[in-house]
Amino acid sequence: MIQVLFFAQVRELLGTAKLEFSAQGINNTEQLRAALAAQDDKWAKVMASDKLLVAVNQTISNWEASVADGDEVAFFPPVTGG
């Protein structure tokens, strides 16, 4: 299982902070994002890759980053400030 975490507005819009997702057939962060987005229209809108950053095992990653059983993947909105 992959531990999936959601932060900030992503968490608020989805109504959940975390879930476990089967690692079967999931090889990278883009495949995980797409599988989550396929759940329904709400998930598809929130999981649009142009609105998200991703981290694997607490390291900022890209959409080609490998994931495997036991990994932790976090999705969060781009951070801005000043």
Side-chain angles (χ1 to χ4, degrees):
M1 298 300 273
I2 299 169
Q3 300 297 315
V4 185
L5 307 176
F6 306 101
F7 291 96
Q9 186 179 17
V10 176
R11 177 183 63 226
E12 293 169 15
L13 292 170
L14 294 175
T16 188
K18 63 182 176 178
L19 58 83
E20 289 188 345
F21 201 86
S22 173
Q24 187 172 356
I26 304 294
N27 298 310
N28 60 42
T29 52
E30 173 56 26
Q31 290 176 346
L32 176 59
R33 185 207 62 77
L36 292 168
Q39 294 184 94
D40 65 32
D41 290 342
K42 175 179 77 170
W43 282 80
K45 183 176 179 180
V46 175
M47 298 304 293
S49 63
D50 63 329
K51 299 177 185 176
L52 286 177
L53 296 177
V54 64
V56 177
N57 298 323
Q58 301 181 4
T59 300
I60 299 288
S61 301
N62 60 44
W63 295 112
E64 293 84 34
S66 295
V67 294
D69 191 40
D71 282 347
E72 175 189 271
V73 178
F75 294 99
F76 49 98
V79 179
T80 62

